[in-house]
Amino acid sequence: MTDGRCPVTHAVPPHRLDPTGAHQHAVNDALRARGAAVPVLLPGDVPGYAITRHEELKEFVTHPDVAKNARHFAALRNDELPPGWPMRTFATIRGMITADGEDHKRLRSLVTRAFTPRRVEALRPVVHELTGTLLDRLAEAAAAAPDGVADLRRHFALPLPMSVICQLLGVDDAYQDRLHALSNEIVSTQTAPERVPDANREMVAILGQVAAARLTAPGDDLTSALIAAREENGDQLSEEELIGTLMLTIIAGHETTLNLITNAVRALCNHRDQLDLVRSGAASWGDVVEETLRYDSPVSFFPFRYPTSDLPVGDTVIPKGAPVLVSYTAAGRDERAYGPDAARFDVTRGARHLSFGHGAHFCLGAPLARMEAVIALEGLFTRFPALDLAVPDEELVPHPSFVGNSPQRLPVRPGAAHSG
């Protein structure tokens, strides 16, 4: 994982990651300039590292000496983390995301047996119907506002993937708002320490109720399928693994797609020439989705991986047991991978990206996220061809997290609806 030179551990001060998520792309530019692997300080002054460049990130996540199980996390193992550490859930949740080797293969196999292409494709008409309903609500919200402005994130980008993932899992509508609020607290790197365990316990309790209901009355949903899924040797998900899988599916299944739709609309409004290319047929809505994933990834610094031995990455040696974040937003604008115009939004670029991960942990939900985003964007800009941002881009406030990457609100003026 080196360029032929002898790697060294630099005695440079670590970069303190801002829990508010402010100025992520400017931060990424500075970190990439420092190296492929940069020492960082996580909340609570917990030391770690961030991988910032495309090729090194790709190599790192598939390296045989890199693990995801938190038993390799030295500070956690040695009880050196501060009480209520806001990132503990990312390390300790039970499921595919924190499993290695045969354990990961077993869990992924069980989930794959339930999360089938047929199940995803069956959601297509649901996504179309929800998109139409939510576009009506967006128009109503804008019409009711004196200035004709509505928050696209609140009225469209959030309820679409949240409703879809809840329908997929068989979760009652009544739980949706609370699950989103809890998900926000868990993902945020600014959550107060005293709230972290409470948010986790409440989400586990809700999902436990969902699982119990599906155990006694199975339905045609992913939760029922996960409960029923067995490997050939009869192995099933344990109760803890089931709840962990449901939690990960809820969080990853709506937070990332919410950010993807929001970031795509923001990019298109700021690059009307690229929107014109789609309308002229020179590019597709799928191209918009892929370029957004590269240019403004919905996930920024994703936790955690741990070297199982001192590991050279570029000019740096990451010590055994250090928590490592991989930065998809930084890698997505790496000029070494995408050329000198890597910071330009170009829907004709056709470049591959790493925003759904790489290797054994590639996101199982990628086909669903892509489908939702394409349907949402095409429906939105067909219905409201003049839709535009209602505030200057620089006034948009980021979601308070360096894990997720998106503004908290996206005020838009939908304009007149297309009559056709």
Short mmCIF file of all heavy atoms in Angstrom, two decimals, residues 94-95 107 207 211-212 222-227 237-249:
data_model
loop_
_atom_site.label_atom_id
_atom_site.label_comp_id
_atom_site.label_asym_id
_atom_site.label_seq_id
_atom_site.Cartn_x
_atom_site.Cartn_y
_atom_site.Cartn_z
N ARG A 94 -24.01 -5.11 16.57
CA ARG A 94 -23.80 -6.46 16.04
C ARG A 94 -24.44 -6.57 14.67
O ARG A 94 -25.62 -6.29 14.50
CB ARG A 94 -24.41 -7.50 16.97
CG ARG A 94 -23.66 -7.71 18.27
CD ARG A 94 -22.31 -8.40 18.05
NE ARG A 94 -22.45 -9.68 17.37
CZ ARG A 94 -22.74 -10.83 17.98
NH1 ARG A 94 -22.94 -10.84 19.29
NH2 ARG A 94 -22.85 -11.95 17.28
N GLY A 95 -23.66 -6.99 13.68
CA GLY A 95 -24.19 -7.16 12.34
C GLY A 95 -23.07 -7.25 11.33
O GLY A 95 -21.88 -7.29 11.67
N LEU A 107 -23.30 -13.86 8.09
CA LEU A 107 -24.32 -12.83 8.25
C LEU A 107 -24.76 -12.28 6.90
O LEU A 107 -25.97 -12.10 6.66
CB LEU A 107 -23.78 -11.69 9.13
CG LEU A 107 -23.56 -12.04 10.61
CD1 LEU A 107 -22.78 -10.94 11.31
CD2 LEU A 107 -24.88 -12.28 11.30
N LEU A 207 -37.34 -1.61 17.71
CA LEU A 207 -37.08 -2.67 16.74
C LEU A 207 -37.34 -4.05 17.35
O LEU A 207 -37.72 -4.98 16.64
CB LEU A 207 -35.65 -2.56 16.22
CG LEU A 207 -35.37 -1.28 15.41
CD1 LEU A 207 -33.92 -1.21 14.98
CD2 LEU A 207 -36.29 -1.19 14.18
N ALA A 211 -39.70 -6.83 15.68
CA ALA A 211 -39.29 -8.22 15.49
C ALA A 211 -40.25 -9.18 16.18
O ALA A 211 -40.61 -10.23 15.62
CB ALA A 211 -37.86 -8.41 16.01
N ALA A 212 -40.68 -8.83 17.40
CA ALA A 212 -41.60 -9.70 18.14
C ALA A 212 -42.93 -9.84 17.41
O ALA A 212 -43.51 -10.94 17.34
CB ALA A 212 -41.82 -9.13 19.54
N LEU A 222 -39.12 -7.74 4.92
CA LEU A 222 -37.73 -8.15 5.12
C LEU A 222 -37.51 -8.67 6.55
O LEU A 222 -36.74 -9.60 6.75
CB LEU A 222 -36.79 -6.98 4.82
CG LEU A 222 -35.28 -7.27 4.93
CD1 LEU A 222 -34.88 -8.39 3.99
CD2 LEU A 222 -34.48 -6.01 4.63
N THR A 223 -38.16 -8.07 7.54
CA THR A 223 -37.98 -8.53 8.92
C THR A 223 -38.42 -9.98 9.05
O THR A 223 -37.70 -10.82 9.63
CB THR A 223 -38.77 -7.65 9.90
OG1 THR A 223 -38.34 -6.30 9.78
CG2 THR A 223 -38.57 -8.11 11.33
N SER A 224 -39.58 -10.32 8.51
CA SER A 224 -40.05 -11.71 8.54
C SER A 224 -39.10 -12.63 7.81
O SER A 224 -38.81 -13.75 8.26
CB SER A 224 -41.45 -11.81 7.93
OG SER A 224 -42.38 -11.01 8.64
N ALA A 225 -38.58 -12.16 6.67
CA ALA A 225 -37.65 -12.97 5.89
C ALA A 225 -36.33 -13.17 6.63
O ALA A 225 -35.72 -14.25 6.56
CB ALA A 225 -37.40 -12.32 4.53
N LEU A 226 -35.87 -12.13 7.34
CA LEU A 226 -34.63 -12.26 8.12
C LEU A 226 -34.82 -13.25 9.27
O LEU A 226 -33.90 -14.02 9.57
CB LEU A 226 -34.22 -10.89 8.67
CG LEU A 226 -33.65 -9.89 7.67
CD1 LEU A 226 -33.51 -8.52 8.31
CD2 LEU A 226 -32.30 -10.37 7.14
N ILE A 227 -35.98 -13.22 9.90
CA ILE A 227 -36.26 -14.17 10.98
C ILE A 227 -36.28 -15.60 10.44
O ILE A 227 -35.79 -16.54 11.08
CB ILE A 227 -37.60 -13.83 11.67
CG1 ILE A 227 -37.48 -12.49 12.42
CG2 ILE A 227 -38.03 -14.95 12.62
CD1 ILE A 227 -38.80 -11.96 12.93
N LEU A 237 -29.91 -15.83 12.23
CA LEU A 237 -29.47 -14.63 12.95
C LEU A 237 -29.88 -14.77 14.41
O LEU A 237 -31.02 -15.14 14.71
CB LEU A 237 -30.13 -13.38 12.36
CG LEU A 237 -29.72 -12.95 10.96
CD1 LEU A 237 -30.64 -11.83 10.48
CD2 LEU A 237 -28.28 -12.46 10.93
N SER A 238 -28.97 -14.47 15.33
CA SER A 238 -29.35 -14.40 16.74
C SER A 238 -30.24 -13.18 16.93
O SER A 238 -30.34 -12.31 16.06
CB SER A 238 -28.10 -14.29 17.62
OG SER A 238 -27.49 -13.01 17.44
N GLU A 239 -30.89 -13.10 18.09
CA GLU A 239 -31.75 -11.95 18.37
C GLU A 239 -30.95 -10.65 18.31
O GLU A 239 -31.41 -9.66 17.74
CB GLU A 239 -32.42 -12.09 19.73
CG GLU A 239 -33.39 -10.96 20.05
CD GLU A 239 -34.12 -11.15 21.36
OE1 GLU A 239 -33.92 -12.19 22.01
OE2 GLU A 239 -34.87 -10.24 21.75
N GLU A 240 -29.75 -10.66 18.88
CA GLU A 240 -28.92 -9.46 18.87
C GLU A 240 -28.50 -9.11 17.45
O GLU A 240 -28.49 -7.93 17.06
CB GLU A 240 -27.68 -9.69 19.74
CG GLU A 240 -26.86 -8.43 19.96
CD GLU A 240 -25.66 -8.64 20.86
OE1 GLU A 240 -25.37 -9.81 21.20
OE2 GLU A 240 -25.00 -7.65 21.21
N GLU A 241 -28.16 -10.12 16.65
CA GLU A 241 -27.78 -9.87 15.25
C GLU A 241 -28.97 -9.37 14.44
O GLU A 241 -28.82 -8.50 13.58
CB GLU A 241 -27.22 -11.15 14.63
CG GLU A 241 -25.85 -11.53 15.16
CD GLU A 241 -25.46 -12.95 14.78
OE1 GLU A 241 -26.34 -13.74 14.37
OE2 GLU A 241 -24.27 -13.27 14.89
N LEU A 242 -30.16 -9.89 14.72
CA LEU A 242 -31.37 -9.44 14.02
C LEU A 242 -31.64 -7.97 14.31
O LEU A 242 -31.86 -7.18 13.39
CB LEU A 242 -32.57 -10.29 14.44
CG LEU A 242 -33.93 -9.83 13.89
CD1 LEU A 242 -33.97 -9.90 12.38
CD2 LEU A 242 -35.06 -10.65 14.50
N ILE A 243 -31.62 -7.59 15.60
CA ILE A 243 -31.87 -6.19 15.96
C ILE A 243 -30.78 -5.30 15.38
O ILE A 243 -31.07 -4.20 14.87
CB ILE A 243 -31.95 -6.03 17.49
CG1 ILE A 243 -33.11 -6.86 18.06
CG2 ILE A 243 -32.12 -4.56 17.86
CD1 ILE A 243 -34.46 -6.52 17.50
N GLY A 244 -29.52 -5.73 15.44
CA GLY A 244 -28.43 -4.95 14.85
C GLY A 244 -28.61 -4.76 13.36
O GLY A 244 -28.38 -3.67 12.82
N THR A 245 -29.05 -5.82 12.68
CA THR A 245 -29.28 -5.73 11.23
C THR A 245 -30.43 -4.79 10.91
O THR A 245 -30.36 -3.99 9.97
CB THR A 245 -29.57 -7.14 10.66
OG1 THR A 245 -28.43 -7.98 10.89
CG2 THR A 245 -29.85 -7.08 9.16
N LEU A 246 -31.51 -4.86 11.69
CA LEU A 246 -32.63 -3.95 11.48
C LEU A 246 -32.21 -2.51 11.72
O LEU A 246 -32.58 -1.60 10.96
CB LEU A 246 -33.79 -4.31 12.42
CG LEU A 246 -34.48 -5.65 12.18
CD1 LEU A 246 -35.58 -5.88 13.21
CD2 LEU A 246 -35.05 -5.73 10.76
N MET A 247 -31.41 -2.26 12.78
CA MET A 247 -30.96 -0.91 13.07
C MET A 247 -30.10 -0.37 11.93
O MET A 247 -30.29 0.77 11.48
CB MET A 247 -30.17 -0.87 14.38
CG MET A 247 -29.76 0.54 14.79
SD MET A 247 -28.75 0.62 16.29
CE MET A 247 -29.94 0.13 17.53
N LEU A 248 -29.17 -1.19 11.46
CA LEU A 248 -28.31 -0.76 10.35
C LEU A 248 -29.13 -0.49 9.09
O LEU A 248 -28.86 0.46 8.36
CB LEU A 248 -27.26 -1.82 10.07
CG LEU A 248 -26.16 -1.98 11.12
CD1 LEU A 248 -25.33 -3.23 10.84
CD2 LEU A 248 -25.26 -0.75 11.12
N THR A 249 -30.13 -1.33 8.85
CA THR A 249 -30.97 -1.16 7.65
C THR A 249 -31.78 0.12 7.74
O THR A 249 -31.92 0.85 6.75
CB THR A 249 -31.89 -2.38 7.47
OG1 THR A 249 -31.09 -3.57 7.44
CG2 THR A 249 -32.67 -2.28 6.17
#
